[in-house]
Amino acid sequence: MKSADIRKSFLDFFQAKDHLYTESSSLVPLNDPTLLFTNAGMNQFKSFFLGEEAAPHPRLISVQKCVRAGGKHNDLDQVGYTARHHTFFEMMGNFSIGNYFKEQAIAYAWEYVTQVLQLGLEKLHISIHHSDEESGKIWLGQKGFKKDHLHRLGDEDNFWRMGKVGPCGPSSEIYYDLGPAAGNDPKLDYVGGEGDRFLEIWNLVFMQYFENEEGQRSSLPKPSIDTGMGLERMATVLQNKNSNYDTDIFTPYLNFIEEKTKVKYDPSEKGVAFRVLADHARTTTFLMSDGVKPSSEGRGYVLRRIMRRAIRYAQNLSHQEGLLTSVSEQVISTMTKDYPVLTTQKDNILSSILKEEERFLETLDGGLKIFHEVKLQLEKENSKIVPGDICFKLYDTYGFPLDLTEVVAKENQLTIDKDGFDSALQQARELSKSGSSSFKTNN
Ligand code: SER
């Protein structure tokens, strides 16, 4: 099934069950200082869950663009290394605002995956929160459900919070077993494990509480439902692949990068640069289309980190300027039918990316040279840790965000001294406040 058809099938299914379609909201959350970027479909409905505003309809559905980089849900470090993490992805979800609850949400999900998508019963596994026997019973009552495919997990897997403060509740997740070819390490490949074999495809959150900064919970006005199914993961399952990057969502970009760089894509760990570039080009393009610009703080700095990470990986493939910009152009032409704002913003987006590429390429080589010298020095000293003051120099003089230094360090089997970096940064800020330094965080 093509990704466009998956999206349509999901919307058709829930619209036939009286759900009102709501367009994706911006990646920059409106009036919500608790969030860096929109990280889930429910964000735009938060005030409905809390009872602060009346929903236009008690049953809603959306395909929400999400970014998980920075903030509570941060997948940046995993991107490129796993088959299933992205900084940008699309999340399909159905929502009940005080209308139906567990019984109906589970029945709808089961009907959709087993009857509409016809996923094999032996492939489906379900996790519930270990305290939530009520959901367990409902799952066990679903037609064809395999009793030994029910798993009881803890808060980390089966309790969902939007952020530090906000609506939350226990959840139940549907996993698809991609089989041992996708991952076969018993330490990683189990339901809820870090491996790629058991792919979490749908999260059903039983929204029941509001949690404040002190971690105290109060009940929501009415129990509600928030579900999220990643389009990219569903495409992996329905296109019989082992990696999201092998689906029709990503292969056009991987092919394009192959053409531009004349390097062949390798789906193993060696292909990390391709995957990072494809993922980060989508994130960059979408964040910019929602008005974020690379800068030295806040959202703009997260965007800059993502872009510089992508630019550096692109340089590993080929020393040409403008590779991120040209992948972004592909993103715009591929995705504009669902997000026409990409075309409206095209010129702004492409010129901002190119500017950032030019700017960072002026200092990237110099920074890598310094890194190389430090590496040789560390070898002599028999040390494996890049000192904090060097990380700071790379940041301050060469525009290396700390996580980029960490990537380069990791590739060289080194780690970085984060605390040392923090104190060097703090010191520079204090000096700058007292007027005795020209330190500016403009990198
Ligand atoms: N909010 C939940 C999640 O992001 C379900 O949509 O997983």
Side-chain angles (χ1 to χ4, degrees):
M1 205 188 233
K2 290 213 172 82
S3 51
D5 298 329
I6 302 172
R7 175 201 289 266
K8 183 169 182 315
S9 129
F10 187 83
L11 294 177
D12 287 350
F13 178 81
F14 281 102
Q15 278 172 316
K17 298 199 182 312
D18 190 31
H19 287 65
L20 176 73
Y21 174 71
T22 310
E23 279 205 15
S24 169
S25 64
S26 166
L27 284 168
V28 178
L30 263 184
N31 306 324
D32 193 341
T34 68
L35 264 189
L36 193 62
F37 297 118
T38 297
N39 63 17
M42 56 71 62
N43 295 168
Q44 65 166 324
F45 306 132
K46 181 176 163 185
S47 61
F48 304 156
F49 287 119
L50 297 179
E52 293 168 353
E53 250 186 296
H57 194 66
R59 295 171 168 226
L60 301 167
I61 184 168
S62 69
V63 182
Q64 175 67 50
K65 42 189 181 179
C66 297
V67 165
R68 291 194 175 172
K72 176 167 164 51
H73 296 276
N74 180 9
D75 291 336
L76 183 61
D77 296 342
Q78 276 132 309
V79 171
Y81 293 93
T82 73
R84 64 181 197 284
H85 285 100
H86 303 292
T87 50
F88 171 87
F89 62 97
E90 293 176 275
M91 191 186 263
M92 304 181 284
N94 57 294
F95 306 88
S96 147
I97 313 294
N99 185 270
Y100 58 84
F101 197 44
K102 293 181 184 177
E103 183 90 43
Q104 193 66 73
I106 290 174
Y108 281 159
W110 193 246
E111 182 185 339
Y112 184 65
V113 293
T114 61
Q115 289 179 37
V116 179
L117 301 180
Q118 308 217 327
L119 301 184
L121 297 172
E122 72 292 349
K123 295 282 197 182
L124 293 167
H125 288 255
I126 303 293
S127 71
I128 55 169
H129 191 267
H130 55 64
S131 66
D132 186 12
E133 275 313 315
E134 189 190 349
S135 298
K137 272 207 199 95
I138 302 172
W139 280 116
L140 291 171
Q142 301 303 306
K143 195 164 165 238
F145 184 78
K146 296 199 176 301
K147 217 167 134 196
D148 56 344
H149 283 202
L150 185 66
H151 308 264
R152 292 166 179 82
L153 304 178
D155 275 10
E156 205 180 305
D157 293 283
N158 282 103
F159 195 92
W160 201 85
R161 293 172 178 81
M162 180 181 122
K164 206 165 172 287
V165 175
C168 58
S171 73
S172 182
E173 296 183 319
I174 305 183
Y175 287 81
Y176 187 83
D177 180 3
L178 291 169
N184 205 9
D185 181 344
K187 286 203 219 69
L188 303 172
D189 292 294
Y190 54 89
V191 170
E194 291 299 308
D196 283 327
R197 172 170 173 174
F198 290 94
L199 185 64
E200 179 217 320
I201 52 173
W202 203 350
N203 189 13
L204 316 183
V205 182
F206 309 124
M207 284 292 190
Q208 270 162 284
Y209 309 108
F210 171 79
E211 194 167 271
N212 69 14
E213 284 203 23
E214 282 80 51
Q216 291 155 339
R217 286 182 201 158
S218 50
S219 292
L220 291 182
K222 285 185 189 159
S224 294
I225 291 293
D226 150 33
T227 87
M229 176 196 273
L231 177 64
E232 297 75 6
R233 293 184 180 189
M234 230 32 222
T236 293
V237 169
L238 293 165
Q239 294 172 19
N240 293 318
K241 306 290 183 195
N242 288 335
S243 163
N244 294 3
Y245 292 93
D246 296 336
T247 67
D248 66 346
I249 298 176
F250 284 97
T251 45
Y253 309 130
L254 303 182
N255 294 342
F256 176 79
I257 300 168
E258 277 189 337
E259 256 170 54
K260 285 288 276 189
T261 62
K262 310 281 179 252
V263 178
K264 181 114 193 68
Y265 173 60
D266 183 332
S268 77
E269 174 127 6
K270 289 194 191 125
V272 65
F274 276 79
R275 294 188 289 272
V276 167
L277 188 51
D279 172 274
H280 290 14
R282 294 197 335 146
T283 315
T284 301
T285 309
F286 273 89
L287 282 177
M288 286 192 170
S289 75
D290 279 334
V292 185
K293 290 228 176 299
S295 74
S296 58
E297 56 191 15
R299 295 188 174 108
Y301 193 58
V302 177
L303 172 59
R304 173 163 284 167
R305 282 162 50 194
I306 292 169
M307 294 177 78
R308 293 192 172 185
R309 204 165 176 261
I311 295 165
R312 192 274 168 163
Y313 273 108
Q315 287 291 306
N316 277 2
L317 292 173
S318 157
H319 282 287
Q320 49 184 291
E321 198 171 284
L323 197 48
L324 179 61
T325 311
S326 55
V327 181
S328 165
E329 201 169 356
Q330 299 299 309
V331 174
I332 295 174
S333 58
T334 310
M335 298 194 73
T336 197
K337 58 183 184 316
D338 293 312
Y339 301 95
V341 65
L342 296 178
T343 298
T344 327
Q345 292 287 331
K346 182 174 173 179
D347 293 346
N348 280 341
I349 296 172
L350 298 181
S351 64
S352 297
I353 302 180
L354 191 59
K355 219 157 77 199
E356 182 72 10
E357 285 201 70
E358 285 165 357
R359 191 175 164 177
F360 186 46
L361 287 180
E362 278 171 22
T363 57
L364 176 64
D365 281 346
L368 291 174
K369 205 165 147 237
I370 296 283
F371 188 91
H372 189 68
E373 284 160 14
V374 170
K375 187 187 158 194
L376 295 178
Q377 185 62 29
L378 290 177
E379 272 166 17
K380 274 194 213 140
E381 293 166 8
N382 223 348
S383 165
K384 291 260 167 217
I385 306 169
V386 183
D389 58 333
I390 301 292
C391 299
F392 180 71
K393 185 174 176 183
L394 287 169
Y395 165 81
D396 185 34
T397 313
Y398 296 95
F400 275 46
L402 188 62
D403 41 19
L404 177 56
T405 303
E406 194 170 17
V407 167
V408 182
K410 191 170 148 193
E411 288 170 359
N412 288 281
Q413 286 82 47
L414 299 171
T415 58
I416 59 172
D417 175 7
K418 283 189 187 162
D419 292 343
F421 170 82
D422 287 342
S423 41
L425 181 63
Q426 191 56 30
Q427 219 176 347
R429 284 195 173 132
E430 275 157 21
L431 278 175
S432 138
K433 256 194 244 145
S434 67
S436 46
S437 152
S438 61
F439 174 72
K440 297 193 265 24
T441 51
N442 65 346
N443 41 28

